[in-house]
Amino acid sequence: MIATDQRESETGDVAPANSRPRRMLNERQVLEIIPVGRTTLYRMEKSGRFPKSTYISPNRRVWFEDEIVAWQNAVDEFDPRRARGKGRRSARA
């Protein structure tokens, strides 16, 4: 019994007693929270600018709510180097 407890504590497989399950959001729920289109969401995820989704079955993709909240807080911080997207061109032509 003691050896089992020691092994579990070494591997970190034991969840804290007060932990709660993480809330999973599907694509529709994420798009209600994040004001972007579906394609933009997937582009941001692919480029690493948005949390990665997880497949819980072959056709079911979800995002964890706590990761999205952390992303929102990071985006909300002021960054003087942040500029507009590269899709807009200047008015000089």
Side-chain angles (χ1 to χ4, degrees), residues 4 16-17 19-20 22 24 27-28 32 51 62 66 72 78 80:
T4 304
S19 71
R20 296 179 10 200
R22 296 169 72 187
M24 296 178 182
E27 181 183 286
R28 181 183 51 80
E32 287 175 0
V62 297
D66 58 342
Q72 285 176 318
F78 177 72

Side-chain angles (χ1 to χ4, degrees), residues 68-88:
I68 293 175
V69 169
W71 175 82
Q72 285 176 318
N73 293 335
V75 167
D76 194 32
E77 295 173 0
F78 177 72
D79 183 5
R81 295 172 295 166
R82 187 177 348 180
R84 294 181 76 166
K86 64 180 180 181
R88 295 210 178 231

